[in-house]
Amino acid sequence: MKHIAFLILAVSCCPCAGQANKNNDKVHQCSGLTSCCDTHSLTSMSHNLGEVREKVTNMAEKITILETKLQNTEKEVLELRSLIGGTPRVAFSAALRESGSGNTGPFTTATPLQYKRVFSNTGNSYNPSTGVFTAMVKGMYFFRFSMFNNLRPTPSSVVSLMKNGVRLTSVWDTSGTDSNDMGSNAVVIPLEVGDNVYVELHANRIVYDDVMNYNTFSGFLLFTV
């Protein structure tokens, strides 16, 4: 603060050395700092110093508040780690329909199924609006999905578990006369942060569901790597 005051004083002073009087016949040197600065300059300088002092005080108060919030956040993180043993917890399970009954599909292109009825979603890695699970933690994961075929004389149901657009495994029913077939499949796979996993309904295929929740999609983190 003393350095700031000194600089403001230096800038505000009149450059009196070598100044001529109004008759241009005499030159005098400043005899001191006070003689160089008029009353207006001193008043302005005092006002500026007051503003600087107020800003510094406000900044100090804000820094104190931020430090308190940071300490509280660190405390909460430590408490959460103590509760879960420092290991991330990721698990979800969802069914296809929130309510009612009917077919999903057909679509002209392969389409991710959006499992709307969420039973659990620890870690919030599953998005019911898109049907996509996105890994937030690098590790080994388990996924399982089930499929109930369409209620028609000739079944036409094919779904696949996808990872980043690559098919991993499938369940299908496209032949026979039984209109109440269903199946399931599962995988254990490694995922990097940002990898996407979802169940895809093949183009021009159909699945049926109702309040019994035949079509499900579930997964959880086995361990981090």
Side-chain angles (χ1 to χ4, degrees):
M1 184 65 74
K2 292 182 179 180
H3 292 286
I4 295 174
F6 178 81
L7 290 174
I8 295 176
L9 284 170
V11 172
S12 301
C13 290
C14 305
C16 296
Q19 183 182 31
N21 64 7
K22 62 182 179 179
N23 296 322
N24 296 321
D25 55 357
K26 292 183 179 180
V27 177
H28 66 276
Q29 300 291 331
C30 295
S31 59
L33 184 62
T34 303
S35 62
C36 289
C37 303
D38 56 22
T39 303
H40 176 73
S41 297
L42 289 173
T43 302
S44 177
M45 177 182 61
S46 176
H47 178 71
N48 291 337
L49 286 174
E51 290 182 345
V52 171
R53 189 178 296 110
E54 183 179 357
K55 290 181 180 179
V56 170
T57 301
N58 292 336
M59 290 177 63
E61 292 176 352
K62 291 180 179 179
I63 290 174
T64 301
I65 294 174
L66 289 174
E67 289 177 342
T68 301
K69 289 183 177 180
L70 179 60
Q71 291 174 352
N72 291 335
T73 300
E74 291 176 342
K75 181 180 178 181
E76 291 174 356
V77 170
L78 291 174
E79 290 175 350
L80 288 173
R81 286 180 177 176
S82 65
L83 290 175
I84 65 176
T87 302
R89 292 185 176 182
V90 182
F92 78 97
S93 185
L96 192 57
R97 301 180 65 93
E98 286 184 304
S99 61
S101 62
N103 290 326
T104 298
F107 304 109
T108 56
T109 59
T111 303
L113 289 172
Q114 299 174 8
Y115 295 82
K116 295 293 189 179
R117 186 176 181 184
V118 178
F119 300 119
S120 61
N121 194 14
T122 302
N124 294 316
S125 294
Y126 173 70
N127 185 346
S129 297
T130 62
V132 177
F133 173 89
T134 302
M136 303 297 181
V137 179
K138 181 180 178 180
M140 195 68 69
Y141 290 79
F142 172 87
F143 292 96
R144 180 186 180 277
F145 64 104
S146 62
M147 182 205 77
F148 188 86
N149 69 358
N150 57 301
L151 297 178
R152 291 185 178 180
T154 301
S156 181
S157 303
V158 183
V159 297
S160 297
L161 185 69
M162 311 292 289
K163 173 186 173 182
N164 298 331
V166 178
R167 183 178 297 108
L168 299 179
T169 187
S170 303
V171 176
W172 64 274
D173 185 14
T174 59
S175 64
T177 58
D178 189 352
S179 60
N180 293 283
D181 284 341
M182 67 176 297
S184 65
N185 217 327
V187 296
V188 173
I189 55 174
L191 294 181
E192 300 286 338
V193 174
D195 282 346
N196 294 321
V197 177
Y198 55 93
V199 178
E200 183 177 84
L201 178 66
H202 287 219
N204 303 313
R205 300 298 184 177
I206 304 170
V207 292
Y208 172 86
D209 212 342
D210 56 29
V211 294
M212 300 298 286
N213 299 317
Y214 306 112
N215 297 272
T216 61
F217 179 33
S218 304
F220 53 87
L221 173 67
L222 291 170
F223 51 86
T224 59
V225 295

